[in-house]
Amino acid sequence: MTLLPIHLLGSPVLRERAREVPEVTHQVRHLVDDLFHTMRTDGGVGLAANQVGVAERVAVVDTGNDPLILINPVILERSGSQVDEEGCLSIPEVFADVERAQHVLIETTTLDGARTRVEADGFRARAIQHEIDHLDGILFLDRLSPLKRRMLTRKWQKMRAGSVGYTREVVPKGG
Ligand code: ZN
């Protein structure tokens, strides 16, 4: 497995609508492994292929006990609402309260290539919605009020002052 560099806010691939995966190939299975490895090493609960520079509809989620692979995921139903703090590995150190559906029913493709349905609530549902947004080129900042978005964008620009490029290497912590 490979630790992949993570693309940061400002990298154009984060704004692309990722393309459908026509078939679950060896390359897709590799990508899923690398996404899990990179996400866990970086302490995240979800990671989309856009975030590692690959504009394909593949993402992973693991909110603690039930790893979920998303390949060509589609949200079939959403209900209820929840507001909680959200962050993103592509926008480190920026957090904000985001409203999401409390419950989602999705359809996704498994590594065997079969379509399957998954239901999720609460934090897991939030992570799934965040990752599917990534595949559509949407970031959590887009879900905020214009005022809040401007404030956080300025904060981000200040923190980034002097930085070069729009990727960062993932480094194992405590290693
Ligand atoms: Zn994110």
Side-chain angles (χ1 to χ4, degrees), residues 14 46-48 51 86-91 130-131 134 138-140:
L14 293 178
L47 190 62
Q51 293 179 276
E86 219 167 279
C88 180
L89 297 183
S90 293
I91 321 171
H130 179 114
E131 297 316 321
H134 271 302
I138 297 167
L139 301 172
F140 83 92

Side-chain angles (χ1 to χ4, degrees), residues 42-113:
D42 209 33
V45 296
L47 190 62
N50 306 49
Q51 293 179 276
V52 298
V54 179
E56 293 181 10
R57 301 188 80 75
V58 178
V60 297
V61 167
D62 190 354
T63 52
N65 46 16
D66 201 0
L68 176 65
I69 296 162
L70 301 172
I71 300 173
N72 300 333
V74 177
I75 297 178
L76 300 176
E77 285 174 26
R78 22 179 131 224
S79 59
S81 94
Q82 54 168 324
V83 176
D84 211 339
E85 190 174 74
E86 219 167 279
C88 180
L89 297 183
S90 293
I91 321 171
E93 294 172 65
V94 173
F95 301 92
D97 282 351
V98 182
E99 185 176 359
R100 300 280 186 186
Q102 170 66 22
H103 177 93
V104 290
L105 169 65
I106 64 161
E107 190 174 84
T108 184
T109 298
T110 67
L111 286 182
D112 301 325

